[in-house]
Amino acid sequence: MSTTKQVKLVLVKSLNGRLKSHIQCARGLGIRRINNPVVVIDTPENRGMINKISYLLQVEEV
């Protein structure tokens, strides 16, 4: 059993017309499409990217 915390992310708003750095954060987290859930490990690096684009995401602890 894994002891690392994970976070489930769902893109709820489009990336069209967003800042390039915000689009890169979404790609870095593995987000591809709206309403397509992605599970990532809860690290400080990932948490920083999540905070940067939090207005586009729905975040849920797994």
Side-chain angles (χ1 to χ4, degrees), residues 15-29:
L15 292 172
N16 289 344
R18 305 296 176 188
L19 292 173
K20 192 172 185 179
S21 61
H22 290 197
I23 295 170
Q24 290 171 343
C25 282
R27 295 293 176 240
L29 290 165

Side-chain angles (χ1 to χ4, degrees), residues 1-24:
M1 184 169 167
S2 174
T3 59
T4 59
K5 290 186 178 183
Q6 294 183 326
V7 180
K8 181 174 142 185
L9 307 173
V10 179
L11 188 67
V12 293
K13 292 185 179 180
S14 174
L15 292 172
N16 289 344
R18 305 296 176 188
L19 292 173
K20 192 172 185 179
S21 61
H22 290 197
I23 295 170
Q24 290 171 343

Side-chain angles (χ1 to χ4, degrees), residues 43-60:
T43 63
E45 294 83 6
N46 285 344
R47 187 55 76 169
M49 289 191 283
I50 291 167
N51 289 340
K52 190 169 188 177
I53 61 170
S54 62
Y55 67 101
L56 300 172
L57 299 175
Q58 175 184 355
V59 182
E60 180 181 321

